[in-house]
Amino acid sequence: LIASIETAKPARCQVIVLALVLGAYENRADKGLWRYADRGVRLYLEFLRELGHQLVPVELAALGELNSDDIDIDNPTATTEPDAQQQPEAA
């Protein structure tokens, strides 16, 4: 990595630094992040969403946008709430 940085152009160095910073944030975001979600983790999750990452329920709970009790622990990408877009069947 050091050898790559020494010969890299400034734009490439910025990408490398961004990767290191994002890696540090990812390291801080452990499985219990929804319980404490400090400001840094919240900013990181909001940044990921701005980039187009679809946040999973535990990430939404970390942001305070979803109650953690509504997360289906057997299927962590789903919630126990009914799908808001689902239309009732006609009788």
Side-chain angles (χ1 to χ4, degrees):
L1 180 63
I2 293 174
S4 300
I5 294 172
E6 288 176 353
T7 60
K9 294 184 179 178
R12 181 69 175 158
C13 289
Q14 289 177 349
V15 170
I16 293 169
V17 169
L18 177 62
L20 292 171
V21 170
L22 293 178
Y25 273 109
E26 192 68 30
N27 187 51
R28 289 182 66 190
D30 66 4
K31 68 178 185 174
L33 75 96
W34 61 271
R35 293 184 180 150
Y36 59 87
D38 65 22
R39 184 175 182 268
V41 171
R42 287 192 305 273
L43 289 172
Y44 174 60
L45 292 174
E46 290 167 357
F47 174 71
L48 290 179
R49 181 167 34 202
E50 286 178 19
L51 293 177
H53 173 69
Q54 182 150 357
L55 300 177
V56 296
V58 70
E59 294 166 333
L60 294 171
L63 289 173
E65 296 178 10
L66 178 70
N67 186 330
S68 60
D69 292 336
D70 295 331
I71 298 173
D72 180 352
I73 61 170
D74 294 324
N75 183 7
T77 60
T79 62
T80 57
E81 294 179 5
D83 186 357
Q85 297 177 347
Q86 197 172 29
Q87 299 294 325
E89 292 183 25

